[in-house]
Every structure is written in C-alpha cells, then in structure tokens.
C-alpha cells in the first residue's frame, strides 16, 4: 500500500529532509584530497546526532556506518574505511536521517579537488536526470513517465542506467512502496497522487549499466570499472511541481 501523508506528517518530513540536505551541505566543504572516507562518515554522524536525530543507515540490515561513501567505480553502498580521497576522485555520499519518527534520504556526488571533464559531465548529467525525472512527479502522472525521463536523459549521453537498484517510497520507514526505477516506459506504472513521498535516486554509470558486488555484500561497483554517480532527494508529490524536501 502506498501511503498518502497527512499535512502534520509532511511537516515532520520537512524537518527530517532539511536536516538530511544540511548534512550534505556540511560535508561538501570537508571533501578534499587527504580526507578518509571514515572521517567523512564520522563527521556526518556527529552532525546528525548534534541535531537530535538518528542516522537511519547505521545498523540497517547490518550496515556498519551512518553514511554510504562511494568512490569512483563504486555505484552505491560504499562502506567508510581508511581510504584516503585523492585529487581527481569522485565521491558519492548518501545520508539518511530519522527525526521525530520520520525519514529523510538524499545523496550527492562531489569532486575531490580537480577532476576530469568527463567525470564532471557524469556528475552533472546524473543531477540533471533527477530534475528531468521529477518534472513528471505530479498528481495524475505515472511513475513510468518519471522513470523513462531519467533513462532517456542518461542514455542520450551514452551512459548506463543501473537496473538492480531503484528509488523508493519513504516516510516512517526508509523504504516504503512504491519502487521508483530509473528506467521504464511512459504511461505505465503506479499512478502518482498528491501526498506521496518518494526518494528519486538516479545511479548512472559512464559505461555499462551492469554492476557487481564486493565480498562485503554492500559495496556495489560498475561491472566494467567505469565511473558512477548518484544523486538523490526525498520529494513530495503534489498537484503541480513537487516539493523537494532534502535540498
Ligand atoms: N539511500 C540508500 C537507499 O535508498 C541507502 C540505504 S542502504 C543502507 O536505499 F544500508 F546504507 F542503509
Ligand atoms: Co534512497
């Protein structure tokens, strides 16, 4: 069942969402060569706790950290470690927050120092995919309209759209119905309604859409070793333009 959130619930999601977006702004300034991914995670965790909220990822299905920190060919779910960020890397940071029982979930991909034009293009197009997609996130449209817009934009640049992992409904739980794929067909799928809250999260690869998993069971990489970028926000569907809760 897809839940329509009440105004009072939406207000709480606004608070959780704002904190999620603020955590990403706070960490952006700390991303530079020489910083470890574990330090990035620790800073995010402190930020969330200092704002009387909880990191939703910590211990979720055994996940060992408060943020996912995914470098270069890591698509998502990179586990923070002693890896030292290098000039030229790209790093995707995914953060989830629970505040007053309600969830926010968002991700950005950042440049570490100076990066190649190709890497910057991948980051930019991935963000554009999100905004192309959410043009269709309005009452009366279908989820396939949103999904196909994301896919079209990514593929027009020759990029691969990850299939196995998708966006999701969000609310009291981090993952609620419906699934929100980044590929699909116009005019198909769930009918969107005002009051739905969903996390839209294109995961876009410079090469093949295929992925592989590390033995840790989390770290997800591009099958061909190409770069991957991720951009995610929690949004509220309305009659008209959606409200982005995690900017
Ligand atoms: N934001 C991600 C998602 O939407 C990551 C959560 S996985 C976790 O599914 F294990 F880190 F929590
Ligand atoms: Co998500």
């Amino acid at each position: 069942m897809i839940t329509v959130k009440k105004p009072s619930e939406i207000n709480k999601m606004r608070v959780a969402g704002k904190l999620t977006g603020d955590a990403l702004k706070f960490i952006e300034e700390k991303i530079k060569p020489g910083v470890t991914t574990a330090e990035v995670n620790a800073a995010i965790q402190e930020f969330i706790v200092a704002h009387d909220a909880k990191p939703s990822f910590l211990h979720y299905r055994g996940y060992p950290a408060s943020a996912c920190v995914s470098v270069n060919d890591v698509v998502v779910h990179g586990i923070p470690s002693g890896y030292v960020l290098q000039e030229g890397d790209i790093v995707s940071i995914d953060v989830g927050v629970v505040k007053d029982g309600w969830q926010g979930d968002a991700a950005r991909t950042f440049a570490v120092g100076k990066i190649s034009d190709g890497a910057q293009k991948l980051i930019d197009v991935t963000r554009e995919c999100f905004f192309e997609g959410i043009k269709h996130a309005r009452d009366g449209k279908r989820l396939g309209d949103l999904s196909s817009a994301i896919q079209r934009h990514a593929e027009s640049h020759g990029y691969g759209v990850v299939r196995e992992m998708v966006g999701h409904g969000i609310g009291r739980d981090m993952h609620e119905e419906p699934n929100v794929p980044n590929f699909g067909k116009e005019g198909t799928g769930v009918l969107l309604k005002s009051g739905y809250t969903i996390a839209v999260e294109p995961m876009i690869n410079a090469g093949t859409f295929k992925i592989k998993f590390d033995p840790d069971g989390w770290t997800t990489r591009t099958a061909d070793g190409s770069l991957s970028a991720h951009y995610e926000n929690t949004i509220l569907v309305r009659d008209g333009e959606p409200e982005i809760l995690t900017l």
Side-chain angles (χ1 to χ4, degrees):
M1 197 197 53
I2 305 175
T3 54
V4 170
K5 273 71 178 182
K6 299 192 199 82
S8 61
E9 298 172 334
I10 290 166
N11 276 332
K12 290 180 182 172
M13 288 194 71
R14 285 192 179 106
V15 174
K18 167 111 177 36
L19 187 52
T20 311
D22 286 351
L24 286 164
K25 284 185 198 133
F26 160 80
I27 207 62
E28 179 169 16
E29 304 186 350
K30 298 189 166 7
I31 301 294
K32 34 177 111 66
V35 174
T36 69
T37 59
E39 287 166 347
V40 168
N41 175 69
I44 289 172
Q45 181 165 323
E46 277 173 36
F47 183 91
I48 294 170
V49 171
H51 289 82
D52 287 317
K54 276 202 288 196
S56 59
F57 295 180
L58 188 62
H59 308 314
Y60 177 83
R61 298 190 179 183
Y63 187 73
S66 297
C68 300
V69 186
S70 304
V71 180
N72 294 335
D73 65 315
V74 179
V75 178
V76 287
H77 302 165
I79 298 176
S81 72
Y83 176 78
V84 179
L85 292 173
Q86 306 288 313
E87 178 101 20
D89 285 346
I90 65 170
V91 59
S92 305
I93 299 181
D94 192 345
V95 177
V97 160
V98 197
K99 173 99 175 164
D100 202 9
W102 292 85
Q103 302 261 346
D105 185 6
R108 309 278 181 264
T109 302
F110 299 120
V112 182
K114 189 167 168 35
I115 62 171
S116 71
D117 291 348
Q120 187 62 52
K121 184 83 193 168
L122 177 67
I123 292 174
D124 293 345
V125 170
T126 302
R127 182 174 176 281
E128 289 163 16
C129 281
F130 168 84
F131 285 98
E132 285 301 313
I134 68 160
K135 287 179 182 168
H136 304 274
R138 43 172 80 206
D139 193 281
K141 297 282 269 180
R142 292 198 178 264
L143 211 40
D145 300 332
L146 180 156
S147 302
S148 66
I150 292 174
Q151 179 176 18
R152 197 176 320 114
H153 191 64
E155 292 181 351
S156 75
H157 290 272
Y159 295 148
V161 176
V162 172
R163 303 290 198 274
E164 280 114 304
M165 284 171 304
V166 297
H168 48 92
I170 179 168
R172 277 190 198 281
D173 293 319
M174 173 162 52
H175 294 135
E176 299 184 351
E177 285 181 49
N179 278 342
V180 181
N182 298 303
F183 59 95
K185 280 195 174 36
E186 261 175 76
T188 68
V190 165
L191 188 60
L192 295 171
K193 293 206 174 87
S194 291
Y196 285 5
T197 45
I198 57 177
V200 178
E201 49 179 319
M203 289 155 264
I204 306 298
N205 301 344
T208 177
F209 66 84
K210 292 186 182 146
I211 57 171
K212 60 186 184 191
F213 298 92
D214 278 8
D216 64 27
W218 285 103
T219 311
T220 307
R221 294 179 192 273
T222 57
D224 60 3
S226 64
L227 294 177
S228 186
H230 185 200
Y231 186 89
E232 175 180 23
N233 283 302
T234 300
I235 68 168
L236 168 67
V237 176
R238 303 188 290 197
D239 188 9
E241 285 197 1
E243 180 176 338
I244 304 176
L245 303 177
T246 50
L247 271 187

